[in-house]
Amino acid sequence: MNLSLGQAAPARRIRREDVLLALAYAALAWLLHSLDLTATGSPAVPQLEPWWPVLTVIGCGAVLFRRIRTAVMVPVCIAAAVPLVLANSTVGLFLIFEAVFSLVLFGSARAARAAEVSVLVLCGASGLTVWVLTANLRDGVTVILLTGMILLLPAEWASNLRKAGQLARSESARAAAIRAAARDQERLAAREHELALAAERQDMARELHDVLSSRLSAIALQSGAALRSPQGSSLPVEVLAHVRQESVKGLEELNGMIRTLSTGVPRALAGSVQDLDAVVAGHRAAGMNIDWSNRVSGELPSPVQAAVYRIAVEALVNTARHTDQARVSMLLERVPGGLRLVVEDDGGNAVPGATPAAPGAGPGTGTGLPSILARAEQLGGRAAAGPSAEGTGWKVEALLPVTVPEAAPEPHQNSVSAGGTKV
C-alpha cells in the first residue's frame, strides 16, 4: 500500500509507484489463485469464476488512475472487485480495500468525509443484518470485524495520512511565509538604511554649504570691495580684517565638521543672534547698505539661534551674489508663537549674468534656499522666499518657534541670550 503524503495536489500523469502497486495486486491475484486461497470457500456466482483474470486486469488497471482520476478509479475498481468476490477471488477484497483507501486519501474533502461516514454505517449495518438473519450474534460480530478490516481500516488509515499531509503542507507554507517575511524585512531594513544615508548626505551638503558658502562669499565680497577702493583709502585695511576674521571662523567650522565626520560626535551648533552684528558689519564694510533691527531680547535655545543665524546669513549672501548696491532691510522680532525673521532687498542693480535668487536658480549649488526651508521645518516652523511685494527685490521670511521640538537635535552648548540692539 502506497503511503505517499502528496495526495492533495492532483497529479497530471501516472506515477511510478501506482504502476508498481497495480502490478503487485495483479501478482497477488495470480499467487492467491495458484495457492487456491479463496475468499469465501466456494464461488457465490460460479459463472463469474472463469472471468477472474479479466476482472483482475480491469481492477488493477483502475489502480493506475488512483491519483489523477480518483472519481473514475473508485467505481471501476469496485465494479471489478465485487464480481471477483462473488467468483471466490480473494484479490477482490484487496481491490475494495484499495478503492476505499484511494477515495479517502486522493478524493475531494467532501467525498472523503462522505466515504468515512458511509463505511462506518455500512460496517454496522452489515453486522446487524447478519445478526438478524442468522439470529447468531457471533456471526454478526464476525461480519463487523471483516467489513471493518476491509472498509473501515483503509478509510481511517487514509484519513490520518491525509491530515498528516495537510499539516505538512501547512507547515511548509508557514515556513515559506516566514522566509518571505524575513526577506521583506531585510529589504525594508536595506531601504531604511539607504534613506538614512540619503538624509545624512543631505544634512552634510547643507552644513557644508552653510559653513563654506557664507564664509567664502563674504570673503569674495569684501576682497572685491578692497580691490575697488581708491588708493590711500583706509577701506582695504578694514576689509582685510573682516576677510581674515571670516577665514579663521570658516576654518574653525570646517575643522569642527571634519572632527564630527571622523568621530561621529555631534559638534556644537554654530552661530547665534549676536553673531549677526559682526556679519552685518562685514557686509557693510564691503559696501552693502543694510538696515538691521533686532527686537528680540531674552534667552533663546541654541537650535533657534543657529537657525536664525544661518537663514539670515544665507539671505544676505544671496542678496550680495545677485544684486549690486541693493538696500537691505533685516528684521528679527517676536510674534505670537515664536520669532519672525525678514530679510528684504529693493533689487538694487542686477549683477550682470546673475539670475534671481530663486530656489535652484543662479550660479550657486541650488542648496541655499532649500537649506533655509529645511532649517525652519526642522524646528517646526516655516519659511518662504520670493519676490518682494513691490516686485523689484527679493524677500526671505521665516517664522520659528521659540521652543525646540523633541525631534530637533539637542545642542551641545549653552543658550546665548540675544540682546535687543539696532545697528
Side-chain angles (χ1 to χ4, degrees), residues 293-307:
S293 178
N294 179 11
R295 302 176 183 174
V296 176
S297 61
E299 188 174 295
L300 295 175
S302 293
V304 177
Q305 295 212 52

Side-chain angles (χ1 to χ4, degrees), residues 303-321:
V304 177
Q305 295 212 52
V308 171
Y309 176 82
R310 293 299 185 188
I311 293 173
V313 169
E314 181 60 32
L316 291 177
V317 168
N318 281 343
T319 299
R321 180 183 299 158

